[in-house]
Amino acid sequence: MKSIAIVGTNPDKSSNNIQLQENITNGFRELNPDLQVFSVSPDEYLNEKFSLEVSFCLFHGSVANFRYPVEALLEKGRRLADRTAIWLHEDPYEFDASWRISGLTDVVFTADRASTYHYPSDWPVFHLPMASSSVHLHPVVARSGPDYLFVGRPFKNRIAFFKRMENSCGQHSKHLQGMIIGPDWPDNLVTTATNTRISQALLARLYGISNTVIYLGKEDNQINGRFNIRASTPGSGFFAAAGAGACQIAFTPGLEITDYLDPGKEFVLIENATEAVETIAELRNDLPRSLKIGLRAQSRVSKQHLYRHRAKAILDILKQI
Amino acid sequence: MKLNFVIIESAFRTSNHYLIKSFINALRTQPGVDEIVELDIFSALNKYPNQKIDVLIVFGGEQADSYVLRHLRERARLKLVWYLEDPYEFDENYKSAKHYDIILTNDQAASHRYSHGAHHVPLAAEMAYTTSFIPFDVRRYDLSFIATLWPNRAQFLKESESVLKNLKTKLVCSENSFIAEKIKQIKAPVSLSNGVDYLDFMRINQQSRMSLMIDREFSGSGNYTVSDTPGPRLFEAASAGACPVVDLRVAGDAISALGFVEGVDYFGFSSVDDFRRVVERFIHEQRVFEDAAKQIQKKVAEHHTYSHRAQKIVELAQQEIRHRESNWVFKEENDQEDQPVRVLALTHDLLKFGFVGGAEIYMEELASKSQQFEVYQMSRDGRMGYGTRYVLVDREGTEVLERVPRCPVTDEDLRSTELEEFFLECCEFVRPEVILVNHLLGHTPSLLLIAQHMGLPYLVVIHDYYFACDQFNLMFHNKNYCAVNRPNDEQCSICTTSRRNSNYGAQYLRRSVFGYLLQRAEAVICNTPSSAQILQNVTGISMRNLSIIEPPKPPNQTLERKTNAATDRTFLRVAVLGNIHNNKGLDDLVQVAIKLRDKQISFEVFGRANDSLVAAINEHGLTNIVCHGPYEPNNLPKAVSFCTVALFLSKWPETYCMTLTEALNFGLVPVSYDIGALGERITDEVGIKVAPDPLQIVAVLIDLVNNPQKITRLEQLVRKQVIAPDKFIAAYQRLLVNVRKTSAGTNRQSPNKVDLEYLWAEWIPRKWDLHENIDARTQASSTRLRSLGRKIKTLTRRFSRFVDR
């Protein structure tokens, strides 16, 4: 394989994917510096004048935006690249939109393991979790930030979790200082949220200095009515924070998360909001432990969960089929 | 005896898709199994249209009498259904059971209630999990409970809070609308979420010492509320190595009936106090529980894995087939090759309704001429406005069915329930093998999704660019050809918004749905390579089954050209064939006529001249434009024979242009813009083509009138581009006969509403153009209706007064 094109599936206007585009592209470049890796925006790719032929084209993103010609994009990929694949980041929340792409790529990668076996049996589907960017691998020396940090959007389950956390704070309520970063959080939470867009590097620093970072899965079914698939794989936020050396307190209904990091050693797995509060209070008084957990997580990520590793997995699977 | 198995999950929506996967994995390992085909209810007939089936296994049993299953049953030697929702959905299951040869049910008691008898086959566990056992002392949790929170379960959790707090628990419950209120009262650390995936469920159980089992005591449909057989969770948890702790009030006897012994394989309780005692014992004698967990895991491995179920089912099937070996004959659906192919064509107008173009004429040619296929046309009545009346006509043109939708279909509809119903009615009547989409204007794309679902292959004929844009001739909002050449051109949004006040991206949504259908057509038939190319450029879709079939010359053309000598060469009569409107270059014609008003040139319009042409003629005093009125497509008027040149001023890339064929066939020298099929078909030898600019046409015509010998030379070369009707029909015949082989046919009842319900749910919206004016329009139409109502009332009053007098 000599040349690779990385193309998002969401229009350039929605900027959410730009960071991801960069991370995946860099992943391939880090894997093999001799590889020609082209990062192409979908609008550019659809341009009639665009005719860059490559050995492999990787599309990535969501396919539920019906106001964007995803089919045409994948079709063009088939014309320009010897082989194509798509990495679906929004499974299972947008699983029912996948009919759009049936038969349009050689391989389908899904970021959620539970979604894998729901695809028709004749689809070439593989599980490929999200990862951390190597930009996140920032040296961490001390904790000096908030007691807990959360970065993300306010889905129903997340708001409910924070409310429960507040209810069970009890004696800790006065001491614990938290920080939420993300848009559209309700005002009635004790921890007030900051709606600001921060760079990847800054976010990594913030993860690194926070005493703990809370990871909550996402429950945001958009079009997942057919099988009502329950997400099982943690999202990119989990890997990003671990890569940045954060001591994560993770709450997920399932246990797949333990495949990626070792609970107790590389992150703290909790079962409910009360446990979260207790753990945060505990770690607040034991910053060396928080640092130790964070460093172990960072080391594991640098060995297994960078986009470079995912790039390798993609190329290995392509060789197999 | 080895058999082939076709297995299909009967419900479209299910949260337990893993069950069928686990079962199939086990079925594959059975020695009596030759081949397994797993079908999806949505695409089953499309992927597996007419093959023979040894054993059909309908898994789950919900909606076990759906259209797809009816269809598959007809081809199956042995039909088997495995009901998994007994007894909760027993009434429905009972109704559909009569269609199956072997009935399996997960519920012991229900198995006796089926009138033909049923076999009790409970769910099970996967063998793979039973091979490892994680020691209790390294497990994460004391007790796990993962379930939907039915009322009895919520009640139990609430009552046993004090017991649970002594354990390290994992309680993951999915909410349920029936008990939303009760949940709020539970103080135990229950994690309310969507629940967990099967793989996670197994994992949690591998990490739990005990697994709490409280059976569901509830039915949403008013059926039996208590099952007497444990659900899959018992087997799954046991196979993962957790020790089941079971509420005996609900499932005690059933568990014993399966060979599990209380106190040895599992622990039971009948009240919260009982449960407390079990937990206390666990705290003091964990070893006993670990032994029980090992014991029950072993029992599950020996008797209750899907391999055991698969073995039983294969044996049952083999016995039954042996029993009925002699009297089963598979009826080949498509062994009637000598029979004409039954075709249902979707057209946007009919020849007999008058206002027609090439598309209808070719269709009529196909429908009436060939003996090889029997074409019925489902058409919009073009006389009645956009989508207000639909008919089905047979090959003689007789209307056999009619539908006037209460809510007229518009061009922004992607679905229309009334039209879909009519389509099904037509299918029922025609029993087509193939759907031929002559034009989708006036129809909704949903009809083709239904066709797909029914296993009916469809062919799409491209007469314009309706599959790429609602503005089917790709005329930009400023009335010029948009020349858009890529699928996401911003221009498309600007154009659609300014034409229709659509919101941003509406056109892409439309293109997404139409493109999906185009991609999945058995064949896409274009008249010329240029039109295929333009369609591919705009939609961005490379069509795999592209065929180019050139339409025939207009049939029955009887008029003969006058001899050259008889034509006056000093005066140039230019024929303008076909209905003339803006797409066909009305404005340009007027401009050219103005420039040439003093020359020895006249423009003879043979076709319907619209009001703007008449107005322009009057305004500019254009005596050099003569309107002869419309002619029947097959019958050129005599006045044409005085013309020597035919002028084509289409500003959009026509896909063929039938009037060009007429002109060439008649020996007229074509002069045209170099665009679309016109530019492609008119070569330098047979005519003259220029860039789309009226001044260029003026120059050409002046040259021709000054040099009549040029016309004479060109006249020698025309009359070449003619396709015989036989060749045209033969090309279609080849395609249709080929496509018929992939058809599931419809020699049966059409799907009903319930069958189709799930086709639409999340997939395609009702309309592609969701602009703000919808409310305004609805309001306008209701205002119109109200005023009509008032008028009728007034008239009735007057009439009754009149009668009274």
Side-chain angles (χ1 to χ4, degrees):
Chain A
M1 196 154 294
K2 285 177 188 165
S3 53
I4 294 178
I6 311 291
V7 188
T9 52
N10 283 359
D12 297 355
K13 276 192 208 74
S14 68
S15 56
N16 299 351
N17 270 8
I18 291 178
Q19 203 77 69
L20 208 51
Q21 169 83 8
E22 198 183 307
N23 292 344
I24 296 173
T25 310
N26 289 341
F28 278 97
R29 285 185 182 144
E30 286 162 17
L31 178 69
N32 180 358
D34 297 334
L35 210 60
Q36 278 186 296
V37 187
F38 302 96
S39 168
V40 190
S41 90
D43 286 0
E44 190 187 344
Y45 200 80
L46 281 168
N47 191 315
E48 59 184 306
K49 289 180 192 133
F50 186 89
S51 59
L52 176 74
E53 290 185 4
V54 289
S55 345
F56 171 57
C57 181
L58 176 69
F59 297 95
H60 68 94
S62 139
V63 292
N65 182 355
F66 287 97
R67 309 214 174 273
Y68 201 67
V70 174
E71 296 91 340
L73 195 68
L74 302 187
E75 279 280 359
K76 187 154 183 187
R78 278 149 59 109
R79 286 203 295 278
L80 293 183
D82 298 340
R83 307 184 87 178
T84 60
I86 184 165
W87 187 2
L88 297 168
H89 301 325
E90 293 301 323
D91 270 346
Y93 313 107
E94 298 174 355
F95 182 86
D96 291 349
S98 56
W99 59 270
R100 280 181 94 186
I101 57 156
S102 73
L104 293 183
T105 56
D106 297 321
V107 187
V108 176
F109 294 102
T110 165
D112 179 54
R113 183 176 286 161
S115 301
T116 319
Y117 68 86
H118 288 88
Y119 282 96
S121 46
D122 51 348
W123 283 38
V125 180
F126 297 87
H127 175 223
L128 188 71
M130 304 304 290
S132 165
S133 156
S134 53
V135 175
H136 279 126
L137 300 175
H138 209 275
V140 184
V141 283
R143 303 288 195 211
S144 53
D147 293 324
Y148 62 91
L149 167 71
F150 179 79
V151 183
R153 297 180 64 85
F155 300 113
K156 204 175 123 199
N157 63 318
R158 292 177 176 174
I159 297 175
F161 186 85
F162 277 102
K163 288 220 165 120
R164 281 188 195 188
M165 246 177 84
E166 279 170 12
N167 292 340
S168 49
C169 255
Q171 52 174 20
H172 304 297
S173 61
K174 285 178 197 153
H175 314 295
L176 295 185
Q177 283 192 345
M179 186 177 186
I180 296 178
I181 299 177
D184 310 323
W185 278 87
D187 300 332
N188 57 358
L189 288 177
V190 176
T191 322
T192 46
T194 323
N195 180 9
T196 172
R197 192 172 275 280
I198 49 177
S199 74
Q200 227 180 169
L202 184 61
L203 182 63
R205 295 284 285 277
L206 204 52
Y207 279 143
I209 59 167
S210 301
N211 293 352
T212 60
V213 172
I214 297 179
Y215 173 76
L216 298 173
K218 168 175 162 184
E219 277 183 17
D220 181 33
N221 281 339
Q222 297 289 331
I223 39 173
N224 178 19
R226 183 167 183 199
F227 296 119
N228 184 24
I229 306 167
R230 277 61 64 104
S232 70
T233 310
S236 56
F238 179 70
F239 296 104
C247 169
Q248 288 191 89
I249 296 181
F251 171 72
T252 53
L255 289 178
E256 193 190 312
I257 196 166
T258 60
D259 283 353
Y260 309 104
L261 294 183
D262 200 348
K265 288 183 187 153
E266 292 162 343
F267 77 109
V268 184
L269 182 62
I270 50 160
E271 303 304 333
N272 50 55
T274 321
E275 240 183 275
V277 175
E278 283 161 8
T279 315
I280 292 167
E282 236 173 77
L283 286 166
R284 181 175 190 271
N285 301 325
D286 191 0
L287 292 181
R289 187 176 156 224
S290 156
L291 202 59
K292 213 166 163 184
I293 291 176
L295 289 173
R296 280 202 210 111
Q298 192 175 46
S299 153
R300 174 91 178 260
V301 166
S302 69
K303 283 177 204 145
Q304 290 179 0
H305 303 302
L306 292 177
Y307 280 103
R308 179 173 79 221
H309 302 111
R310 305 296 183 251
K312 184 169 185 304
I314 290 173
L315 298 183
D316 286 349
I317 286 170
L318 279 176
K319 269 182 217 156
Q320 279 170 33
I321 60 165
Chain B
M1 181 178 30
K2 285 209 167 201
L3 298 169
N4 85 359
F5 284 78
V6 169
I7 180 160
I8 184 165
E9 199 166 28
S10 62
F12 178 72
R13 285 200 177 76
T14 167
S15 305
N16 295 323
H17 189 60
Y18 73 93
L19 292 174
I20 190 170
K21 293 284 175 185
S22 307
F23 177 67
I24 288 175
N25 287 341
L27 195 60
R28 277 186 212 290
T29 60
Q30 294 303 310
V33 176
D34 186 23
E35 187 197 6
I36 298 174
V37 179
E38 184 194 352
L39 294 177
D40 177 281
I41 195 92
F42 181 71
S43 59
L45 297 183
N46 214 7
K47 284 193 179 153
Y48 208 70
N50 44 33
Q51 292 86 330
K52 179 186 127 180
I53 298 168
D54 278 344
V55 184
L56 172 71
I57 301 182
V58 173
F59 195 86
E62 264 182 88
Q63 296 155 13
D65 195 25
S66 68
Y67 175 78
V68 171
L69 297 179
R70 284 203 293 278
H71 200 304
L72 293 174
R73 281 202 304 260
E74 281 173 23
R75 289 187 262 143
R77 196 167 173 186
L78 187 74
K79 295 150 297 223
L80 186 150
V81 63
W82 188 359
Y83 293 116
L84 301 178
E85 286 293 316
D86 273 338
Y88 314 110
E89 305 299 333
F90 179 78
D91 289 354
E92 281 305 307
N93 295 346
Y94 185 82
K95 278 184 218 157
S96 61
K98 61 176 181 281
H99 302 295
Y100 293 88
D101 304 318
I102 299 180
I103 301 159
L104 312 175
T105 167
N106 64 318
D107 189 63
Q108 171 82 45
S111 67
H112 305 299
R113 294 193 203 114
Y114 286 98
S115 48
H116 306 295
H119 302 268
H120 174 223
V121 181
L123 282 156
E126 277 189 276
M127 181 65 97
Y129 283 99
T130 60
T131 52
S132 64
F133 186 87
I134 300 174
F136 264 29
D137 46 357
V138 293
R139 294 200 190 185
R140 243 191 120 70
Y141 308 110
D142 289 327
L143 179 131
S144 65
F145 179 64
I146 302 161
T148 305
L149 217 45
W150 297 108
N152 60 316
R153 292 173 179 166
Q155 185 66 29
F156 180 83
L157 287 187
K158 191 173 154 32
E159 286 168 9
S160 54
E161 268 159 17
S162 59
V163 187
L164 291 171
K165 73 177 181 205
N166 300 324
L167 300 171
K168 166 103 172 146
T169 56
K170 178 83 176 171
L171 312 174
V172 185
C173 296
S174 36
E175 291 181 63
N176 189 299
S177 56
F178 293 104
I179 38 105
E181 277 309 304
K182 282 212 166 137
I183 289 174
K184 288 179 192 156
Q185 301 161 9
I186 301 172
K187 288 202 186 92
V190 177
S191 140
L192 286 175
S193 66
N194 288 346
V196 292
D197 176 61
Y198 165 66
L199 300 174
D200 267 329
F201 173 86
M202 294 306 284
R203 227 173 162 141
I204 291 172
N205 274 293
Q206 284 176 325
Q207 284 295 334
S208 305
R209 299 175 182 99
M210 293 184 287
S211 183
L212 182 61
M213 301 279 150
I214 309 171
D215 245 0
R216 160 179 163 182
E217 198 178 343
F218 187 78
S219 165
S221 58
N223 268 285
Y224 299 87
T225 57
V226 182
S227 169
D228 77 344
T229 302
R233 295 304 202 198
L234 175 79
F235 303 111
E236 288 160 4
S239 73
C243 173
V245 174
V246 183
D247 184 352
L248 298 173
R249 290 170 294 186
V250 183
D253 294 345
I255 295 179
S256 309
L258 288 167
F260 300 125
V261 184
E262 207 227 319
V264 178
D265 302 317
Y266 70 98
F267 293 89
F269 59 89
S270 307
S271 64
V272 176
D273 284 340
D274 258 10
F275 180 58
R276 179 175 287 116
R277 276 192 285 277
V278 171
V279 170
E280 273 164 15
R281 189 168 173 204
F282 167 78
I283 292 168
H284 298 112
E285 296 177 72
Q286 220 181 88
R287 195 59 191 276
V288 176
F289 284 74
E290 187 166 5
D291 290 344
K294 281 180 188 160
Q295 178 73 15
I296 194 167
Q297 190 189 40
K298 191 165 162 252
K299 275 197 182 165
V300 167
E302 282 165 3
H303 304 289
H304 299 291
T305 67
Y306 283 109
S307 299
H308 297 102
R309 308 296 184 248
Q311 191 186 351
K312 177 166 182 181
I313 288 170
V314 172
E315 280 169 13
L316 276 172
Q318 283 174 333
Q319 271 170 25
E320 187 69 26
I321 281 188
R322 251 183 236 120
H323 178 65
R324 51 170 70 190
E325 188 99 350
S326 51
N327 48 16
W328 188 76
V329 184
F330 177 58
K331 277 185 285 171
E332 286 276 353
E333 284 272 343
N334 292 326
D335 59 355
Q336 319 147 334
E337 280 189 4
D338 47 334
Q339 301 285 320
V341 186
R342 289 192 311 280
V343 180
L344 176 63
L346 301 179
T347 57
H348 73 311
D349 222 329
L350 293 172
L351 213 50
K352 64 175 192 167
F353 293 152
F355 193 78
V356 291
E360 292 79 13
I361 295 164
Y362 310 141
M363 191 63 239
E364 200 70 20
E365 180 79 5
L366 270 182
S368 60
K369 286 291 156 52
S370 171
Q371 299 305 314
Q372 310 297 327
F373 27 86
E374 192 173 349
V375 182
Y376 283 79
Q377 297 186 57
M378 172 177 160
S379 173
R380 175 191 72 141
D381 186 342
R383 299 166 303 181
M384 310 283 287
Y386 190 85
T388 45
R389 180 174 179 262
Y390 290 84
V391 291
L392 177 74
V393 296
D394 61 14
R395 66 189 302 167
E396 277 79 39
T398 318
E399 291 182 17
V400 284
L401 292 175
E402 184 205 18
R403 175 68 69 103
V404 179
R406 282 184 300 278
C407 179
V409 180
T410 69
D411 73 338
E412 65 204 20
D413 288 333
L414 293 173
R415 296 154 46 188
S416 156
T417 313
E418 285 180 274
L419 194 61
E420 285 156 16
E421 279 169 13
F422 185 57
F423 176 71
L424 292 177
E425 212 179 303
C426 292
C427 286
E428 186 92 30
F429 188 90
V430 180
R431 306 279 159 121
E433 292 163 286
V434 181
I435 304 289
L436 179 66
V437 184
N438 191 49
H439 210 299
L440 214 52
L441 189 79
H443 300 282
T444 56
S446 59
L447 303 188
L448 298 187
L449 273 179
I450 298 182
Q452 260 190 345
H453 179 64
M454 290 166 74
L456 293 178
Y458 60 87
L459 290 85
V460 175
V461 190
I462 301 298
H463 292 296
D464 53 38
Y465 305 100
Y466 190 67
F467 268 82
C469 179
D470 62 303
Q471 190 78 341
F472 56 83
N473 45 27
L474 301 181
M475 296 288 261
F476 200 36
H477 66 104
N478 64 8
K479 306 278 164 50
N480 282 318
Y481 170 44
C482 66
V484 64
N485 221 359
R486 55 190 183 132
N488 76 323
D489 207 306
E490 197 74 352
Q491 189 180 312
C492 289
S493 267
I494 296 169
C495 172
T496 320
T497 309
S498 54
R499 279 188 293 110
R500 322 177 51 114
N501 195 20
S502 310
N503 48 7
Y504 185 86
Q507 189 65 253
Y508 306 144
L509 172 60
R510 184 185 187 278
R511 216 164 267 167
S512 176
V513 175
F514 277 79
Y516 174 84
L517 295 169
L518 205 54
Q519 257 169 341
R520 281 147 186 88
E522 264 327 292
V524 178
I525 302 163
C526 290
N527 299 329
T528 53
S530 74
S531 52
Q533 193 55 49
I534 293 174
L535 188 68
Q536 299 205 22
N537 288 348
V538 183
T539 55
I541 287 165
S542 47
M543 281 156 281
R544 275 153 257 180
N545 304 320
L546 190 66
S547 307
I548 308 287
I549 301 181
E550 213 171 321
K553 72 168 188 178
N556 311 329
Q557 189 171 306
T558 48
L559 185 68
E560 280 301 316
R561 176 83 199 277
K562 296 247 171 179
T563 60
N564 288 348
T567 322
D568 182 2
R569 297 274 146 174
T570 55
F571 192 90
L572 185 64
R573 284 177 212 280
V574 178
V576 180
L577 299 176
N579 301 328
I580 180 99
H581 40 87
N582 193 51
N583 301 342
K584 299 276 182 180
L586 187 149
D587 295 346
D588 290 14
L589 176 67
V590 172
Q591 275 192 51
V592 172
I594 292 171
K595 297 271 183 216
L596 297 175
R597 66 199 328 168
D598 305 327
K599 305 286 178 198
Q600 293 288 307
I601 300 177
S602 73
F603 298 91
E604 316 281 328
V605 178
F606 300 95
R608 191 178 287 114
N610 69 5
D611 293 346
S612 355
L613 180 63
V614 178
I617 291 172
N618 292 338
E619 187 189 338
H620 301 287
L622 295 174
T623 50
N624 56 347
I625 298 184
V626 184
C627 297
H628 295 269
Y631 61 94
E632 276 188 32
N634 303 340
N635 215 349
L636 280 179
K638 279 189 182 151
V640 181
S641 53
F642 294 102
C643 302
T644 44
V645 170
L647 188 60
F648 300 93
L649 296 173
S650 269
K651 290 200 274 189
W652 67 286
E654 298 234 23
T655 55
Y656 191 70
C657 192
M658 195 192 68
T659 47
L660 174 64
T661 316
E662 283 179 322
L664 290 172
N665 198 36
F666 192 65
L668 299 175
V669 174
V671 174
S672 155
Y673 286 150
D674 187 2
I675 182 170
L678 282 164
E680 187 185 9
R681 293 178 62 199
I682 298 174
T683 55
D684 288 337
E685 288 87 49
V686 300
I688 300 164
K689 55 184 177 183
V690 294
D693 175 7
L695 291 181
Q696 299 246 20
I697 297 282
V698 169
V700 167
L701 293 180
I702 290 176
D703 184 35
L704 285 179
V705 75
N706 292 339
N707 303 299
Q709 72 280 8
K710 275 196 181 173
I711 301 179
T712 317
R713 187 176 57 78
L714 285 164
E715 273 176 339
Q716 307 301 322
L717 299 164
V718 295
R719 217 189 262 267
K720 299 280 188 288
Q721 291 194 342
V722 170
I723 305 294
D726 296 351
K727 203 173 157 192
F728 169 71
I729 289 176
Y732 267 88
Q733 191 182 320
R734 271 196 302 279
L735 267 179
L736 286 170
V737 169
N738 257 336
V739 169
R740 165 204 245 182
K741 287 179 190 149
T742 64
S743 171
T746 53
N747 241 337
R748 62 193 55 75
Q749 276 185 326
S750 288
N752 54 34
K753 257 187 183 172
V754 182
D755 292 331
L756 295 179
E757 213 170 50
Y758 54 75
L759 282 175
W760 319 129
E762 291 87 7
W763 294 29
I764 58 171
R766 273 203 167 267
K767 290 177 188 294
W768 61 271
D769 186 359
L770 301 165
H771 52 68
E772 298 77 12
N773 286 355
I774 290 176
D775 288 345
R777 261 181 322 157
T778 324
Q779 218 173 349
S781 66
S782 62
T783 318
R784 267 205 303 278
L785 276 178
R786 273 202 299 276
S787 81
L788 188 69
R790 275 199 296 275
K791 269 183 199 162
I792 291 171
K793 267 187 193 164
T794 323
L795 283 173
T796 323
R797 263 204 308 276
R798 277 185 202 160
F799 180 69
S800 52
R801 265 185 233 146
F802 174 73
V803 173
D804 287 346
R805 270 179 223 159

